[in-house]
Amino acid sequence: MTNHWVDIKNADLVLIMGGNAAEAHPCGFKWVIEAKHHNKAKLVVVDPRFTRSAAMSDYYAPIRAGSDIAFLGGVINYLLSNDKIQHEYVKAYTNASFIVGEDYKFEDGLFSGYDEAKRRYDPKSWGYELDEKGFAKVDPTMQHPRCVLNVMKTHFSRYTPEQVSKITGTPQDKFLKVCEMIAETSKPNKVMTIMYALGWTQHSQGSQMIRTGAIMQLLLGNIGLPGGGMNALRGHSNIQGLTDLGLLSTSLTGYMSLPRETEQDLETYYKPRATKPLRPGQMSFWQNYPKFFVSQQKAWWGKAATAENQWAFHYLPKWDKSYDVLQAFELMNQGKLNGYICQGFNPVGSFPNKKKIVAGLSKLKYLVIIDPLTTETAEFWKNYGEHNDVNSEEIQTTVFRFPSTCFAEEEGSLTNSGRWLQWHWKGAEPPGEAKGDPEIVAQLFTRLKAAYAKDGGAFPDPILNLSWPYLQPTNPSAEELAKEYNGKALTDLVDPKDPTKVLAKAGEQLAGFGLLRDDGSTSSGCWVYAGAWTQAGNQMARRDNADPYGIGQTLNWAWAWPANRRVLYNAASCDTTGKPWNAKRRLVGWTGEKWAGSDVPDIRPDANPMDADAVRPFIMTAEGVARLFAPTGMAEGPLPEHYEPFETPLAANPMHPKNAKAKSNPAARVFKGDMEAFGTPKDFPYVATSYRLTEHFHYWTKNVRTSAVVQPQQFVEIGEELAKEKGVANGDWVKVSSNRGFIKAVAVVTKRIASLDVDGKRVHTVGLPNHWGFVGVAKPGYLVNTLTPFVGDANTQTPEFKSFTVNLEKA
């Protein structure tokens, strides 16, 4: 989230798209209701289904699953062609005036630099035109044909209302009504927030869907403002913490990244990450990357990380490709992975193409399960009839189960969607032999370390030298781990401007990431968490909900990263003189001497906005402004483009009907054999989408009797038109099949799922709630991911759970 849950109450318009907050985030949805009651806000919902959020909306528009970029691209075209943009904001705070290099091209669905054999782009031709000093050239008048604004106008002009309706199935009148409502928020005193979730991320072009929403918000001037922003609704209690701490395969902590195979020394590694400013006077805050990186290495390897060994840089693996979950199971299926430690995850239920997942697990030598509950993954080898029809005798995988704790049986911090780290305390002792996750991992590590110390190995140094300073080495406390990710001074830190002034004494907890150094004098396990546990104590445990400005800015409740800042890019809530766009909802402002207000300013405190080369609010980019056009960072292009899901009811992409290469995401990774497993419209004519229900929490609550009672039986939802066509009545059993398998469930026939006219044909949608499986106290059911395709987003590899194709018949 750029903003936070409570801030949603400041919105004038709430757009829920790619999510269903009333159903999946009912507590957070309270703030939408607050906005409606106290701010007269309107709620717009765009979704394939008339959801519980839609039931609370002021306006609802249906859409075909997987066509969101076409819809949002159409909104962007509407804003640009009807002059409904926040001009001052766009000119000063985005790269609209930057001139794109003359090598950039976009033709018939493909950007310049595409390598068809590798399904990959070389982004070199997407860069800006540079001057002799290496700064990006700009045209403040925005008349240059290659300035970003004009490149965008050309790109999005193809998304006419007629074309949008043809691709999405959204009736033109409904689409234009949504455009009108959104366009109202281009006024400086009006603001819209976007609430999205897995309905945007779980597509083969999910990252670009989110980016299209962000581009729209930037044109409207809605990023950095109270009641604005791009608000990702995180589903599980610590999924935000997982990404912050860098648990993804090529990540390090605090959104740093592992070195690539080609980056064999520190200087080569730093170059693309410690980005220099692309415009005069800009902060380009990632210039500080070496400070964050060296401090992390000191937290991990202590005295073994020295200047002489490049701060233990060579202790880190250098990646040749992403080792995400899809890659891991591909390797299992190839017999190239022997063991798998599965902690707090249920791949058999949660990953696509269950058949491939089970086949992969069956080839392992051993599988380690760390979980408080029995899961389908722990029981993958056991035959459960049609629900899991395997031959147990043929599966030789040894399964080890380590019972762990659930959140109420441990203390620590959870990071919510709004980036708040909130400390919680232990409510009960775990049952039986269960141990906390840190204890299980620590016991594994201490045994591994002892084995390496005794027997040696090819390169045991990273294991043997790992810093492990805990009072109980086999059971580190949450307090010790939290202090470690905050960071401390390893020597006295003196003020560079005044050597007589000591900012932090050796051994003291650091007050924030501003104190981090790249000379080995500081350690910090996660730089964005620096400030969470200072010399003053545990900031995450604070519970003062005072709101002195009355706009939901409770800075003494818990602690938010970074630097306890509640709204990112908040200097963009002011005009170029530092005066808030809306004085009634003042986040920060320029006093004449410094930035101050209801939030921690997201800009250098003394940065005068009226200086000639004033620091701009988007301090993390090299440009100092936000990127409407992204010259780096996105796998499939600098601007979003509609591509069909890999399984689609259409024969071609209506944007590029003659170019098969541009039918689906041309940069998405597809493994050999998986392309062949995609279904065709002839055999699987209906769009399917999977989702969650309020009464269940993913696969947990089928182990809870009360939840099983209120939502007892697996069902699928179909519209009345499809039901009539198939002769299915409400309550009938149906069989839903894809090219990978089938499920059977009771049909709920409903008006809430519309049939749509798409590219000259009638398209029906099948809705698949995904909480059932073959273990637990609830009635057994089929895993919905029996049906889903084994392909992910080109940037994140998040699987395409939200749009695929199926057939449906009476069972």
Side-chain angles (χ1 to χ4, degrees), residues 295-324:
S295 298
Q296 176 203 263
Q297 296 295 91
K298 292 299 288 184
W300 286 9
W301 283 290
K303 288 178 180 169
T306 63
E308 290 70 38
N309 72 359
Q310 298 191 314
W311 310 111
F313 175 70
H314 294 295
Y315 287 3
L316 294 171
K318 318 290 187 291
W319 60 279
D320 58 338
K321 58 188 171 191
S322 171
Y323 286 86
D324 54 273

Side-chain angles (χ1 to χ4, degrees), residues 70 72 120 205 303 340 406 428 485 540 566 628 653 702 778:
L72 295 168
R120 196 180 298 157
Q205 67 278 24
K303 288 178 180 169
Y340 193 64
C406 74
Y485 63 53
M540 302 167 282
R566 304 301 164 116
L628 297 166
N653 179 351
K702 57 190 175 63

Side-chain angles (χ1 to χ4, degrees), residues 84-86 183-191 220-222 225:
K84 293 287 189 180
I85 65 173
Q86 219 277 48
E184 278 295 296
T185 69
S186 64
K187 295 171 184 169
N189 65 340
K190 294 278 184 188
V191 71
L220 295 162
N222 285 336
L225 280 70

Side-chain angles (χ1 to χ4, degrees), residues 180-502:
E180 285 166 20
M181 293 176 80
I182 288 172
E184 278 295 296
T185 69
S186 64
K187 295 171 184 169
N189 65 340
K190 294 278 184 188
V191 71
M192 171 177 79
T193 191
I194 294 179
M195 297 170 71
Y196 75 90
L198 302 177
W200 272 359
T201 56
Q202 291 180 341
H203 290 276
S204 53
Q205 67 278 24
S207 298
Q208 289 285 17
M209 286 181 182
I210 297 160
R211 230 184 86 63
T212 320
I215 291 169
M216 180 174 75
Q217 284 289 68
L218 288 166
L219 290 173
L220 295 162
N222 285 336
I223 299 283
L225 280 70
M230 287 292 292
N231 290 315
L233 316 183
R234 312 309 296 259
H236 291 257
S237 62
N238 215 17
I239 208 74
Q240 183 66 52
L242 176 153
T243 42
D244 300 342
L245 291 169
L247 264 67
L248 301 174
S249 73
T250 56
S251 299
L252 290 173
T253 64
Y255 302 91
M256 295 190 289
S257 55
L258 272 176
R260 294 169 179 266
E261 207 169 45
T262 51
E263 296 166 334
Q264 289 293 333
D265 62 79
L266 211 45
E267 193 181 338
T268 310
Y269 170 69
Y270 282 154
K271 194 174 178 186
R273 295 168 177 83
T275 42
K276 299 285 182 274
L278 275 168
R279 289 295 298 157
Q282 299 316 306
M283 289 180 76
S284 190
F285 205 76
W286 279 117
Q287 285 185 98
N288 296 298
Y289 195 100
K291 297 174 184 176
F292 311 148
F293 177 76
V294 172
S295 298
Q296 176 203 263
Q297 296 295 91
K298 292 299 288 184
W300 286 9
W301 283 290
K303 288 178 180 169
T306 63
E308 290 70 38
N309 72 359
Q310 298 191 314
W311 310 111
F313 175 70
H314 294 295
Y315 287 3
L316 294 171
K318 318 290 187 291
W319 60 279
D320 58 338
K321 58 188 171 191
S322 171
Y323 286 86
D324 54 273
V325 293
L326 298 182
Q327 181 70 70
F329 278 88
E330 173 68 13
L331 289 169
M332 274 181 219
N333 275 277
Q334 292 175 15
K336 293 179 180 174
L337 197 64
N338 291 325
Y340 193 64
I341 297 176
C342 183
Q343 182 185 16
F345 224 153
N346 184 17
V348 172
S350 296
F351 297 164
N353 191 355
K354 171 184 170 269
K355 189 176 176 183
K356 183 169 180 174
I357 301 300
V358 169
L361 294 172
S362 301
K363 289 183 179 175
L364 292 173
K365 289 182 179 174
Y366 64 91
L367 170 67
V368 178
I369 303 286
I370 304 173
D371 206 285
L373 302 165
T374 303
T375 64
E376 278 77 10
T377 306
E379 302 261 274
F380 83 92
W381 49 271
K382 206 169 174 180
N383 189 296
Y384 282 87
E386 274 196 344
H387 296 131
N388 194 50
D389 196 3
V390 295
N391 188 335
S392 301
E393 288 73 33
E394 289 178 4
I395 298 171
Q396 296 301 302
T397 310
T398 303
V399 181
F400 298 93
R401 291 190 193 176
F402 296 149
S404 61
T405 49
C406 74
F407 65 92
E409 296 158 355
E410 59 202 23
E411 71 167 332
S413 70
L414 294 171
T415 310
N416 77 0
S417 298
R419 296 168 286 100
W420 299 4
L421 281 75
Q422 299 183 98
W423 198 263
H424 67 98
W425 290 267
K426 193 175 190 174
E429 290 300 322
E433 298 177 67
K435 297 181 188 299
D437 289 77
E439 185 177 1
I440 293 169
V441 173
Q443 293 220 19
L444 277 174
F445 170 72
T446 48
R447 285 164 168 78
L448 273 171
K449 183 177 178 180
Y452 273 111
K454 177 171 171 280
D455 301 328
F459 185 46
D461 307 39
I463 297 285
L464 296 178
N465 292 329
L466 198 66
S467 174
W468 207 259
Y470 313 112
L471 291 176
Q472 295 181 59
T474 56
N475 191 11
S477 69
E479 185 174 314
E480 288 172 308
L481 294 163
K483 285 182 174 178
E484 187 176 23
Y485 63 53
N486 180 90
K488 63 183 179 182
L490 302 176
T491 61
D492 287 356
L493 302 180
V494 296
D495 188 338
K497 295 174 186 167
D498 179 5
T500 62
K501 190 176 173 188
V502 176

Side-chain angles (χ1 to χ4, degrees), residues 144-207:
H144 193 290
R146 282 187 281 109
C147 83
V148 163
L149 190 67
N150 291 324
V151 170
M152 277 181 61
K153 281 180 177 175
T154 303
H155 185 83
F156 288 107
S157 65
R158 300 166 299 125
Y159 290 91
T160 60
E162 296 78 15
Q163 185 72 338
V164 169
S165 184
K166 181 181 176 182
I167 295 170
T168 64
T170 309
Q172 272 192 59
D173 60 336
K174 288 184 184 287
F175 167 71
L176 288 168
K177 174 68 174 171
V178 173
C179 288
E180 285 166 20
M181 293 176 80
I182 288 172
E184 278 295 296
T185 69
S186 64
K187 295 171 184 169
N189 65 340
K190 294 278 184 188
V191 71
M192 171 177 79
T193 191
I194 294 179
M195 297 170 71
Y196 75 90
L198 302 177
W200 272 359
T201 56
Q202 291 180 341
H203 290 276
S204 53
Q205 67 278 24
S207 298

Side-chain angles (χ1 to χ4, degrees), residues 739-807:
N739 213 20
R740 291 157 296 276
F742 69 88
I743 69 168
K744 291 176 187 171
V746 167
V748 171
V749 178
T750 173
K751 288 182 167 65
R752 291 176 288 103
I753 297 184
S755 297
L756 301 170
D757 292 313
V758 179
D759 197 21
K761 66 190 288 188
R762 200 73 173 146
V763 171
H764 304 296
T765 296
V766 177
L768 300 163
N770 70 351
H771 299 287
W772 283 268
F774 51 82
V775 301
V777 299
K779 284 181 181 174
Y782 292 80
L783 288 161
V784 164
N785 283 325
T786 303
L787 304 173
T788 49
F790 202 83
V791 66
D793 172 79
N795 301 275
T796 63
Q797 306 306 335
T798 302
E800 189 154 51
F801 294 131
K802 294 296 181 183
S803 185
F804 52 100
T805 58
V806 296
N807 192 21

